[in-house]
Amino acid sequence: MKKINTYINSTDTFKLWTPKFIIITVINSFSFLCSNMATIGIPTYAATLSDNNIALGLITTFSAIAALLSRPFAGFFLDRINRVAILSLGFSLMVTASLGYMVYPFISGILIMRLLHGIGWGLCSSATATLASDFLPKSKIAEGLGYMGAISSIFSSIAPTISMIIFTRLSATFMLLIILSSAIAGLILSLLLIYKQLPTNNTNNTLETTHHHKTSFIEPKALLPAMAIASVTIAYSPIATFITPYITEKGFKTPEIFFYSYAFSTIIARPLTGKIADKKGYYKIAVLSLFSMGISSYIFSIINSLTFLCLGGLLSGFAMGGGMSSLQAMAVANVSPEKRGTANSTFLYGFDAGMALGSFAAGYFRRSTEFGIIFSLMSIIPIVSCILISIIHQISVEE
C-alpha cells in the first residue's frame, strides 16, 4: 500500500484542502463514527446482558472519565513522540475495545473495554486535532478546523441513529462489527501516514522549550481558550442532558426540533465562523459564541413556545460551533509546532471538563431545583466569561 507523506509547513502554504488535510479529516470522521456509535450502541447492547442499572450507567461514565484523564498525557506524548504513532496507538486501543465487546459479552468485560475505548478516543481526538493544526496554513487554521469539525458533527449526529437502526433491525453482532470496522478503517489510514516534523527555528527559546518538553502537561498559552470553551460546555451540557425531560415537562410534543436546530446551526457555524475568525481575528467570534451560549441558556429557562425552542437550539449550536472553531484555533495559533499537541489537549481537556462539570452540577441541583432555575443560573457562566475575555483582550491591546 502506498504511504502518504505528511510534513509540517509544506509548500501548500495557502491551500486548505491538501491531500494530508483531507486524509486526516477522513481519519477523524472514522474515530467519531466509531465512538459515537459505541456511546449509544454499547449501553443498549449491555442492557440485553444485565439488568444492573448501576453497572449499565457506569458504561458511559467509564469511557468519559478515561478520555478525560488521557488528555494531558496525549498532549505530552504528541509533542515528544511521532504524532502518527500516537494516533495509531489510539486507534489500536479502539480496535481492541471494539473486538472485546464481542469476545467478552458480560458487564465486567464491557466496562474494561469501555476504559480502553475512552483512552483510545482521547488519544485519537487529540492527535487528529494536532495533525490538522500542523497541516493547515496558519492563515486558515480556524476555517480548516471548522470544516473538520462540521464533518465530524455530521458523523456524530448520524452515528447514534445508525447504531440503533442496525441493532433493532439486524442484530447486536452486526452493530458491533460496524463499530469494529470503523476503528479498523481509521487504523489502516493512520498507518499509511508518514509523519516528518521539520525542525523549528525557535532558537531564542531553546531553554524554555527544553523545560517544557521535560515537565509540562499543560500549555499556558492555551489556558484562556480552554477556560472559555469550558464555560460554554458547562452551560450547554445541562441542556444536552435534560432537554428532553424538560421539554416534555413543559408540554411540548416535538423536542426533536431542538436537535434539528442545534445540528443545523453547528454544521453551518463551524466552517463559516472559522473563515471569519481567520480574517477578522479569533476574539470577536469567541466573544459572540460565549454571549450566544448565555442567551441560549436563558431562553431555555423561560421557554414557552416552539419558536423559543428553535431559537435556543440555533443559538446553542452557533455557540458550540463558533466556539470550537475560534477558540481551538486560538489555542494553537500562537504556540510553536512542538507544543501544538499539548495546546490541543489542554483545550480539549477544558471542553471535556466543562461537559462533565455542567452535567454533574445540573444533576445534583435537579434534586431540589427546577430546570428553569438551573438553566438561568448556568447562563451566567458564559456571560461572565465573555466579560472577562473582553477585559483581557482590551488590556492586551493597550499593551
Side-chain angles (χ1 to χ4, degrees):
M1 290 185 289
K2 186 178 179 180
K3 293 278 187 176
I4 303 168
N5 286 297
T6 58
Y7 301 89
I8 296 180
N9 301 328
S10 71
T11 54
D12 299 314
T13 309
F14 302 107
K15 193 174 180 181
L16 177 64
W17 293 104
T18 58
K20 54 184 174 288
F21 178 64
I22 292 173
I23 198 68
I24 201 63
T25 300
V26 173
I27 290 172
N28 187 60
S29 298
F30 277 121
S31 72
F32 269 83
L33 181 63
C34 175
S35 292
N36 284 278
M37 283 189 67
T39 297
I40 299 298
I42 298 305
T44 306
Y45 164 63
T48 65
L49 306 175
S50 172
D51 58 358
N52 187 330
N53 290 325
I54 295 177
L56 293 175
L58 288 175
I59 288 175
T60 300
T61 303
F62 271 34
S63 178
I65 291 175
L68 182 65
L69 294 179
S70 71
R71 293 288 189 199
F73 297 97
F76 183 86
F77 289 112
L78 280 167
D79 288 340
R80 289 152 185 82
I81 302 174
N82 185 288
R83 289 170 181 170
V84 172
I86 300 301
L87 176 63
S88 299
L89 174 61
F91 270 113
S92 296
L93 291 174
M94 290 171 70
V95 168
T96 301
S98 300
L99 185 62
Y101 298 140
M102 293 181 281
V103 176
Y104 305 106
F106 45 87
I107 293 299
S108 59
I110 289 175
L111 286 173
I112 293 172
M113 292 305 107
R114 289 304 287 160
L115 283 173
L116 290 179
H117 203 139
I119 295 171
W121 163 246
L123 295 177
C124 281
S125 54
S126 297
T128 52
T130 303
L131 286 165
S133 302
D134 288 342
F135 300 157
L136 288 164
K138 189 172 182 179
S139 61
K140 295 187 177 181
I141 285 181
E143 182 183 1
L145 292 175
Y147 276 115
M148 190 170 82
I151 294 170
S152 66
S153 294
I154 293 173
F155 278 87
S156 297
S157 299
I158 65 174
T161 303
I162 292 173
S163 63
M164 286 298 92
I165 289 175
I166 295 174
F167 182 84
T168 55
R169 298 187 182 181
L170 295 173
S171 68
T173 300
F174 195 72
M175 179 193 72
L176 295 174
L177 286 172
I178 297 298
I179 293 173
L180 175 61
S181 299
S182 59
I184 291 174
L187 176 60
I188 292 173
L189 287 175
S190 68
L191 291 173
L192 291 177
L193 291 172
I194 301 176
Y195 181 81
K196 296 181 181 179
Q197 182 171 340
L198 297 178
T200 62
N201 296 319
N202 193 16
T203 55
N204 294 328
N205 296 315
T206 303
L207 183 61
E208 177 189 350
T209 301
T210 301
H211 177 71
H212 174 275
H213 273 260
K214 286 182 178 179
T215 61
S216 182
F217 287 88
I218 299 294
E219 171 51 52
K221 291 181 180 178
L223 282 176
L224 181 62
M227 288 187 286
I229 196 65
S231 69
V232 172
T233 53
I234 285 173
Y236 171 72
S237 56
I239 297 173
T241 304
F242 295 111
I243 188 64
T244 299
Y246 176 56
I247 292 303
T248 303
E249 183 182 282
K250 284 285 187 177
F252 296 104
K253 297 181 180 180
T254 54
E256 63 271 13
I257 288 179
F258 164 78
F259 297 103
Y260 293 149
S261 301
Y262 172 83
F264 172 79
S265 183
T266 302
I267 292 169
I268 297 299
R270 281 202 163 189
L272 181 61
T273 56
K275 192 168 187 176
I276 295 172
D278 283 329
K279 293 181 178 180
K280 304 295 183 180
Y282 308 129
Y283 160 75
K284 293 180 180 179
I285 298 297
V287 167
L288 187 58
S289 298
L290 288 163
F291 184 74
S292 297
M293 191 69 249
I295 297 300
S296 174
S297 294
Y298 182 73
I299 285 175
F300 282 113
S301 72
I302 59 171
I303 192 168
N304 57 13
S305 68
L306 289 177
T307 300
F308 271 29
L309 179 60
C310 182
L311 180 60
L314 290 172
L315 285 174
S316 58
F318 174 85
M320 290 290 286
M324 283 297 292
S325 296
S326 59
L327 290 169
Q328 188 168 19
M330 185 189 296
V332 300
N334 295 319
V335 300
S336 55
E338 71 273 10
K339 295 182 181 181
R340 285 178 183 158
T342 307
N344 267 305
S345 68
T346 300
F347 174 80
L348 292 172
Y349 190 88
F351 180 94
D352 291 338
M355 290 293 290
L357 182 59
S359 296
F360 174 79
Y364 179 82
F365 289 115
R366 173 55 186 158
R367 296 182 300 177
S368 57
T369 308
E370 295 180 357
F371 280 126
I373 296 175
I374 293 173
F375 292 145
S376 181
L377 292 173
M378 289 297 183
S379 71
I380 298 172
I381 297 173
I383 296 298
V384 171
S385 182
C386 177
I387 295 171
L388 290 175
I389 287 182
S390 298
I391 294 172
I392 293 171
H393 176 74
Q394 187 61 36
I395 292 174
S396 65
V397 170
E398 291 176 356
E399 292 178 349

